[in-house]
Amino acid sequence: MRVPTVTGPVTYRDTTAQPGNSYIYRIRADRGGASSAWLTSPTIRYPAVPAAPTSLTATLVAGPNGRLDWAGTAADGQGYTEQYVVERAPHGTTTWTTLTGAVPAGTLTYTDASVAPGDDWDYRVAIDNSASGMSPYSNLARLTVPSIPAAPTGIAGTPQATTSGAQVLVTWTDNAGNETGLTLQRSSDGGASFTTIAALAANATSFTDPATVAPGSYIYRVNAFNLGGTSAWNTSAAVVVPPVPAAPSGLAGVVHAGPSVTLTWTDNAANEAGFTLQRSSDGGTIWTTVQASLPPNTAGWVDTGVSLGVAYVYRARAFNVSGVSGWNVSAAVAVPTMPAAPTNLARAIARTAAGPDTVTLTWVDNAGNETGFTVQRATNSAFTANLVTFAAAANATSAPNPVAHGFTYYYRVQAVNVVGVSAWSNAVSATTVPATPTNLRATSITRTALTLNWNDVSANETGYQVQRKRAASNTWQTIRTTGPGATSYRVTGLSRNTSYDFRIRGVNGVGNSPSVSYTHLTLPTIYSVSISVVAVSLTKKYQTRPINHPDTKYKWQPTAPPPAHVHCTVSPHHSHILSFD
């Protein structure tokens, strides 16, 4: 090819050269028909178009940033400038943008610091040779940047007890579905500063603070994070870890029936979570827990698991999440055996005429551990009728009991103590004289008979003795002894117009009751008088004094025709009536 003659430096651009070939150029000068010698160039290699980068990957890293990595070709070694071009477009589109800055040929990585949460990009890379031009693009690599996770909510701390002290269980609600983890922090200065205590896996909703937490107030906070960013903190209310509670005091036990032991103590703590109660039956060498966790503020408990004849020692302590108090130990609480039953129950009775009598009971005390005796009295041997119960002191061997007349009384005795009662002793009975009948009265009175009535107020008579005498006499005559339960008797064979005294009394095998009397009862006389007259005219019909009275007068005057008869009838009240036929 010919180049126009010029002077000075000459530049020529070969536009026919093909990439990938090597060329040698020579040049000479021609003037007129003469030519200079050739000036030959060294071999010039025209570099081939670079091969496309391969194995492009896009990785999301903290920031958020997109890290791109790929495999590339070596430089051509001819000194031509080569660099990588990095482009991105929204995923699924062809809107490519070249990222700021070129990547030197020897660098096979690039960090995109302009990504943001929620982005979704496609990346591609090519190598640009200053001589041969741009290579084809690499494969596409997708980078998805997640949104910032939602913050947890509801964080709270609960102190828990361990063998070495308190720990805090922290819980919360996980509101994110895209976090890669959570961060938990704790503050012991009211929230002025926080220390990270745990980096937790995704979806965690609780964590136990592994450190033994000293008594005090603590605040916890938690957030969620992923490569897209970190959520806001969720902060707890203050979590108070209390000091170890004060020990109870005054532990004591009282034995009751059952048997059982009622325990009481003084609660000296205001921050306990409960109480532990233990019992020993060997004086305090071996202890058994009878209540592991009584509620807070408890000041007593009833132990129903005790045995007769055993002495127990108890101890109690308070506890909370921070630890346990010292033990408060009771004195020994002796549970006695059941008392032995009394024997040889006997009775003596001191009688009085009008009552009450006194029954004195005696027995043999066979128990050495009774707190007293129970004495029962009834009016039947089954001890169901008119039951009366009274007490006698411990170690007693006798007891008096006043009783009213008219009953047979049954007695029995048993020993008692705090755990129960013995069997009953033998039973004895005591019979009194009958009770005095009441309200003696006379009814159905005739000239020679009457009925005596009275109230039966006795329960043990074998009958009632009925006696009489003339009012002017001092000699009583028994006219009848009735059967038990009688309340009346018909007295016959009496004399008219005569005054009598009557009395009755109850009788049984023990004796007689006092008598009740009815005195100066006079029976009436009935008179019938016939008077023959020639003629009478009754001036007046009237009642006067008794007919046998010396001042009795009757007046009449003759009239015609005369009545046949005049009758005079004496009433039971000693008055009389005259009538005429």
Side-chain angles (χ1 to χ4, degrees):
M1 66 187 70
R2 294 186 65 86
V3 178
T5 301
V6 296
T7 60
V10 177
T11 299
Y12 176 76
R13 186 176 184 81
D14 184 1
T15 59
T16 62
Q18 296 296 316
N21 294 315
S22 295
Y23 296 94
I24 298 174
Y25 291 87
R26 65 182 183 178
I27 185 170
R28 71 182 181 183
D30 292 328
R31 180 187 297 177
S35 299
S36 70
W38 290 100
L39 177 64
T40 303
S41 72
T43 300
I44 300 172
R45 182 178 178 275
Y46 188 178
V49 174
T54 60
S55 303
L56 177 64
T57 60
T59 304
L60 184 65
V61 295
N65 294 318
R67 178 187 171 91
L68 304 178
D69 294 280
W70 61 87
T73 59
D76 65 359
Q78 301 296 311
Y80 299 106
T81 302
E82 288 183 340
Q83 62 183 14
Y84 289 99
V85 176
V86 180
E87 296 180 351
R88 75 180 183 187
H91 174 65
T93 72
T94 58
T95 308
W96 294 98
T97 302
T98 300
L99 295 177
T100 301
V103 181
T107 303
L108 301 177
T109 185
Y110 176 80
T111 297
D112 182 2
S114 64
V115 297
D119 285 356
D120 191 359
W121 299 106
D122 289 334
Y123 291 88
R124 65 184 183 181
V125 178
I127 188 169
D128 184 18
N129 185 282
S130 60
S132 59
M134 184 85 71
S135 73
Y137 286 98
S138 67
N139 59 292
L140 299 182
R142 183 179 180 182
L143 178 69
T144 300
V145 183
S147 59
I148 295 175
T153 55
I155 185 172
T158 304
Q160 294 182 321
T162 70
T163 56
S164 58
Q167 290 183 326
V168 176
L169 171 65
V170 185
T171 59
W172 59 86
T173 299
D174 177 14
N175 297 311
N178 64 339
E179 80 273 16
T180 56
L182 300 103
T183 300
L184 181 64
Q185 295 185 335
R186 178 184 67 204
S187 172
S188 59
D189 57 7
S193 62
F194 284 87
T195 300
T196 297
I197 60 174
L200 304 172
N203 305 316
T205 57
S206 66
F207 179 76
T208 299
D209 189 345
T212 299
V213 182
S217 180
Y218 299 90
I219 295 175
Y220 292 85
R221 68 182 186 180
V222 64
N223 68 13
F225 63 85
N226 59 22
L227 292 175
T230 302
S231 75
W233 291 102
N234 177 220
T235 304
S236 75
V239 180
V240 177
V241 178
V244 174
S249 60
L251 177 62
V254 177
V255 181
H256 292 289
S260 65
V261 175
T262 298
L263 298 165
T264 58
W265 59 86
T266 299
D267 177 9
N268 297 312
N271 63 343
E272 79 275 7
F275 292 90
T276 299
L277 189 63
Q278 293 185 336
R279 178 183 69 201
S280 173
S281 58
D282 62 2
T285 301
I286 299 175
W287 295 92
T288 301
T289 298
V290 291
Q291 280 294 309
S293 182
L294 289 170
N297 304 317
T298 300
W301 185 71
V302 177
D303 184 3
T304 58
V306 296
S307 299
L308 297 175
V310 180
Y312 296 94
V313 179
Y314 292 87
R315 66 183 185 180
R317 70 181 179 188
F319 64 85
N320 62 19
V321 295
S322 295
V324 296
S325 73
W327 290 104
N328 177 221
V329 183
S330 76
V333 181
V335 180
T337 57
M338 291 287 189
T343 55
N344 297 340
L345 179 64
R347 60 83 177 165
I349 184 166
R351 306 182 186 281
T352 61
D357 294 347
T358 298
V359 176
T360 299
L361 302 172
T362 60
W363 60 86
V364 174
D365 177 10
N366 297 309
N369 62 348
E370 80 275 7
T371 57
F373 292 90
T374 297
V375 182
Q376 283 191 341
R377 185 191 75 194
T379 55
N380 66 342
S381 59
F383 289 88
T384 57
N386 301 309
L387 183 65
V388 175
T389 299
F390 57 95
N395 304 314
T397 57
S398 65
N401 181 230
V403 293
H405 287 173
F407 294 93
T408 295
Y409 296 95
Y410 296 84
Y411 292 89
R412 61 184 181 181
V413 183
Q414 67 181 181
V416 299
N417 65 16
V418 292
V419 296
V421 298
S422 73
W424 290 104
S425 69
N426 59 296
V428 296
S429 64
T431 301
T432 66
V433 298
T436 303
T438 61
N439 195 24
L440 178 62
R441 58 204 181 276
T443 61
S444 303
I445 301 171
T446 68
R447 291 178 297 167
T448 60
L450 55 83
T451 299
L452 294 174
N453 300 276
W454 62 89
N455 293 344
D456 177 14
V457 295
S458 183
N460 67 342
E461 80 278 359
T462 58
Y464 285 97
Q465 191 177 76
V466 183
Q467 293 184 330
R468 79 179 181 195
K469 71 178 183 67
R470 292 179 182 271
S473 171
N474 293 322
T475 302
W476 288 94
Q477 175 187 3
T478 299
I479 59 175
R480 179 71 173 177
T481 299
T482 71
T487 58
S488 66
Y489 176 68
R490 181 72 175 172
V491 182
T492 61
L494 302 176
S495 300
R496 293 175 294 178
N497 196 30
T498 303
S499 180
Y500 291 92
D501 294 336
F502 295 91
R503 68 182 185 186
I504 64 171
R505 62 186 179 187
V507 298
N508 62 19
V510 173
N512 305 323
S513 74
S515 298
V516 59
S517 300
Y518 192 103
T519 60
H520 297 89
L521 176 64
T522 303
L523 297 181
T525 300
I526 300 177
Y527 297 90
S528 180
V529 180
S530 294
I531 302 175
S532 297
V533 296
V534 176
V536 296
S537 175
L538 186 62
T539 304
K540 189 174 184 181
K541 182 178 181 179
Y542 57 94
Q543 294 180 347
T544 67
R545 289 178 295 277
I547 195 167
N548 58 347
H549 195 279
D551 295 331
T552 299
K553 303 294 185 182
Y554 296 95
K555 296 180 179 180
W556 61 86
Q557 60 187 16
T559 184
H565 295 88
V566 177
H567 298 282
C568 176
T569 302
V570 179
S571 73
H573 301 289
H574 297 181
S575 60
H576 63 276
I577 299 173
L578 291 179
S579 60
F580 299 90
D581 295 338

